[in-house]
Every structure is written in C-alpha cells, then in structure tokens.
Amino acid sequence: MKKIIVANWKSNPEKISTAISLARASDKKGAVIAPPHIYLDIVGKTLNNAFLGAQDVFWEKYGPYTGEVSLSQLKNGGVKYIIIGHSERRKYLNETDEMINKKVVAILEENMKVILCVGDTADVHKKGISAVKRHIEKQLKADLKNVSQKMSKNLYVAYEPIWAISTSKSNSLGKADTPEDAVRVISYIKNVVDKKIHGKNIKVLYGGSINIKNVKEFLFEDEINGLLVGGASLRPKEFSR
Ligand code: 13P
C-alpha cells in the first residue's frame, strides 16, 4: 500500500509569499499539503505533484454560517483531503465528537477523503495502553457514527498522541511516540474500525513530532500507512527529503 505524507501547516506561515515558496519546495508525489484556508487557492495553483488538503470544513454545502468555509467551496477549489477533529480544534475551539461526526459523514458523502484525528492526552497515556485503547475507541465510535462500509474507502484515521505534538526540533528527536507503541495503537484502531463499519484496509497515519531523524523508523512499519507532519512541514528542505 502506498504511503502518504500530509503537511499540516496549521496557522502558518504569516505571509502569502512564504506560503508560495513553501508549496513549491514541498510539491512532491505522495504528499498532501494542507495550508490554512486563506492560502488554499494560491497553493492549489502552485502544486503540480502533491494533492491539496484542508485543515477543517463546515458540514453544510453552503448557507448562512458566518465565518465557516463550506464543503462545496473546498471541493470546487480542488481540495482532495480534509483533516477533521485535530486535537488543537478539539481543545481551543471546543469541537465535540458530535460536530466531528457531522463533518466526517458530510465529507464522505461528497466522495472526498477525510483524515480523522484521534489521540490520547498525557493523563490517559500515563495510565497505560488499556486506557489509551479505551479512549481512542470511544472517540472512534462517536466520530464514525453513520459511516458505512462503502464510505470507508475514503477514510483515513490519524493517530496523534496529544503529548507528542509540537515537541520536535530538527536537531532532536522530540517526544514522538515510539514506532512500536504507535503500531500497537494503530493496529487497535484498524480492529475497532473493522468491527464497527467492516472497513477493511483502513489507512491509519501517525502524527506527533515527526522529523528528519525519526521519520524512517515510522515509515518502515508496514502497519503505518503514512504520516501527518506539523512543524517539520514548515522546514521545506527537511520536508522534501
Ligand atoms: P508536529 O509534527 O509539529 O508535532 O505536529 C503534529 C500534528 O499535530 C500534525 O497534525
């Protein structure tokens, strides 16, 4: 199975000119570039090889939803992948599983690809693997309500342990999960999704402090179908390598 590497730029960079040069430098086959909404159009026009991704969407196609960007707007703008339920949105914007579920269903009904983020907090992580599994299973069950087997071909899940996010600098290993522990959780995610919606061959990515030093160990794991990269995706030389 081919692996994908998704660049989540989050609320970066500050200027459109930097976004354009970042997009040029990151435009590789197998990559998905997810800039902030404001740069989607220009980044989409800049990419020739990578797919265009978005970091969120509203669940309706259009209508009176001030400040939101709709599904049709993203689809018509060339977006192929949409990240949903990122822990930063759950934390800072109080996004609930109910909202996330509406978005997931709406995206899959449009035949677009969704990258659903799930992950454990440091407190859950400290309690051990059984607690982590219970936490992730609860998120998956709520977030995948009304998702059918047929829809699951466009479903990606990203396992992002919250305690491992944003700890990495290019010259250190940061606090990424170990590939072995990530694989344990990712296998469990695949089982849960299979039981819930009979979604065989579901693709699960890992995210959290991936950088040039640790990337290979994660990519060599067969069970990990790709990576969701934050900080390192803003360092173009590192990301393209
Ligand atoms: P970092 O790679 O900066 O830890 O971010 C991971 C992430 O949240 C990607 O969505």
Side-chain angles (χ1 to χ4, degrees):
M1 195 190 274
K2 264 201 241 151
K3 307 211 174 194
I4 58 165
I5 311 233
V6 184
N8 177 8
W9 290 0
K10 306 191 179 182
S11 301
N12 302 293
E14 289 174 86
K15 287 188 184 159
I16 194 165
S17 52
T18 321
I20 295 169
S21 44
L22 200 50
R24 275 196 197 118
S26 318
D27 185 20
K28 305 282 173 190
K29 282 220 163 67
V32 176
I33 310 297
H37 286 348
I38 183 109
Y39 302 140
L40 277 171
D41 185 49
I42 190 68
V43 168
K45 286 177 179 142
T46 306
L47 299 176
N48 292 310
N49 301 303
F51 289 110
L52 186 62
Q55 298 174 20
D56 185 42
V57 72
F58 191 61
W59 55 78
E60 295 294 347
K61 292 195 176 113
Y62 58 91
Y65 310 105
T66 302
E68 293 298 317
V69 173
S70 82
L71 210 44
S72 307
Q73 288 163 342
L74 293 188
K75 194 174 189 180
N76 295 333
V79 169
K80 301 286 180 225
Y81 291 78
I82 309 178
I83 299 169
I84 292 296
H86 194 283
S87 56
E88 286 148 13
R89 295 194 58 82
R90 293 181 192 250
K91 180 177 172 191
Y92 299 114
L93 293 143
N94 293 328
E95 225 174 67
T96 63
D97 284 316
E98 200 186 351
M99 291 157 78
I100 291 164
N101 176 243
K102 280 188 188 174
K103 295 179 181 191
V104 168
V105 170
I107 295 166
L108 293 174
E109 279 175 349
E110 276 303 309
N111 229 349
M112 294 169 79
K113 296 187 194 302
V114 66
I115 302 171
L116 167 66
C117 300
V118 294
D120 44 312
T121 58
D123 283 350
V124 174
H125 177 64
K126 276 188 215 132
K127 291 185 189 147
I129 185 78
S130 305
V132 172
K133 286 179 175 174
R134 275 197 304 277
H135 180 85
I136 302 281
E137 181 164 358
K138 198 166 159 244
Q139 284 185 323
L140 285 171
K141 285 194 168 152
D143 298 345
L144 294 177
K145 217 173 111 196
N146 300 324
V147 172
S148 67
Q149 181 187 19
K150 207 173 143 217
M151 290 152 95
S152 72
K153 71 173 196 305
N154 282 326
L155 174 66
Y156 290 70
V157 176
Y159 172 53
E160 295 211 306
I162 297 168
W163 46 269
I165 293 177
S166 292
T167 70
S168 152
K169 291 277 175 298
S170 57
N171 60 356
S172 76
L173 279 181
K175 220 173 66 171
D177 202 353
T178 62
E180 298 73 34
D181 281 354
V183 164
R184 281 161 86 192
V185 180
I186 285 175
S187 305
Y188 187 71
I189 289 174
K190 291 184 181 184
N191 273 329
V192 171
V193 175
D194 189 15
K195 271 200 207 124
K196 177 153 172 53
I197 58 174
H198 307 292
K200 298 253 182 263
N201 300 324
I202 193 84
K203 292 143 300 250
V204 184
L205 318 179
Y206 169 80
S209 292
I210 287 292
N211 63 20
I212 197 69
K213 299 253 172 75
N214 60 18
V215 63
K216 274 192 189 154
E217 314 169 40
F218 285 89
L219 282 179
F220 281 149
E221 295 287 352
D222 286 341
E223 195 73 342
I224 302 180
N225 306 117
L227 300 169
L228 184 50
V229 185
S233 73
L234 301 168
R235 301 190 288 267
K237 276 194 193 141
E238 184 174 348
F239 183 76
S240 55
R241 274 174 67 199

